[in-house]
Amino acid sequence: MKKSTIFASAPSGVAHISALEITHPSFPAIRTCSGFVDQTVTLETGEVATFKASALDVSLPARDATGQQNLQFAIENVTGQAQNAILAVIDSDDPEPVTVIYRMYLSSDLSEPAEPPLRMVLVAPEFKGATMQVVCSYLDIINMAWPRDRYTTDFAPGLKYL
């Protein structure tokens, strides 16, 4: 049963499970989901993963043609280890962004996401006690180089004669 079916017919006993994965090469994936029970699900890659239950609040971006589409979420009970890992990446000069993947599952079918995952870049994390509030964007325009093509001697060999 896909998301369009659940919204159209609203079957009883089937709930939405929001699952959030925060990844970066410098720390192990942080996986959390909404609800009171840890969920073992199958990712779109076929990998089986366990998401820890937490008080997860997600504000999805509008599906429109506006230039800025942000995903906002808040997670309760963020461990100090996760907080330190995210802050260490943000404070470093590491060019690799922190990736946030949002998946929505139906409680009746954890074998695949109910819709394609949203892949975003972490833009603005804020920690208050054990709560993390984060804004993610499809495209981090603020930190994007302009012009996108860097005119180096590898890209344009004629530059070395200028």
Side-chain angles (χ1 to χ4, degrees):
M1 181 182 312
K2 293 295 177 210
K3 185 177 179 182
S4 59
T5 306
I6 193 166
F7 283 135
S9 60
S12 63
V14 177
H16 295 165
I17 299 171
S18 295
L20 207 60
E21 181 176 14
I22 304 170
T23 62
H24 188 270
S26 68
F27 59 80
I30 300 167
R31 293 181 173 133
T32 185
C33 66
S34 58
F36 300 103
V37 178
D38 293 353
Q39 299 290 334
T40 300
V41 300
T42 304
L43 305 178
E44 64 280 357
T45 60
E47 176 188 354
V48 176
T50 300
F51 288 77
K52 292 204 147 288
S54 72
L56 175 65
D57 184 26
V58 178
S59 174
L60 293 173
R63 294 181 186 224
D64 56 18
T66 60
Q68 189 69 15
Q69 293 185 331
N70 291 335
L71 170 78
Q72 298 179 15
F73 64 89
I75 305 171
E76 293 290 334
N77 282 338
V78 176
T79 64
Q81 185 178 13
Q83 180 176 352
N84 291 338
I86 292 170
L87 288 176
V89 170
I90 292 168
D91 291 341
S92 72
D93 293 330
D94 191 346
E96 184 75 25
V98 175
T99 304
V100 177
I101 304 169
Y102 170 78
R103 297 175 181 92
M104 199 278 292
Y105 289 90
L106 300 178
S107 61
S108 61
D109 182 14
L110 300 175
S111 65
E112 65 178 343
E115 61 184 20
L118 296 176
R119 295 180 188 280
M120 304 181 121
V121 175
L122 184 124
V123 177
E126 184 178 325
F127 296 94
K128 292 181 181 176
T131 302
M132 178 172 70
Q133 295 182 336
V134 177
V135 175
C136 301
S137 178
Y138 283 114
L139 190 56
D140 187 10
I141 295 173
I142 293 172
N143 293 318
M144 184 176 291
W146 183 261
R148 290 187 188 169
D149 292 331
R150 293 288 184 185
Y151 289 86
T152 64
T153 54
D154 292 334
F155 177 75
L159 288 176
K160 61 185 167 187
Y161 300 111
L162 291 178

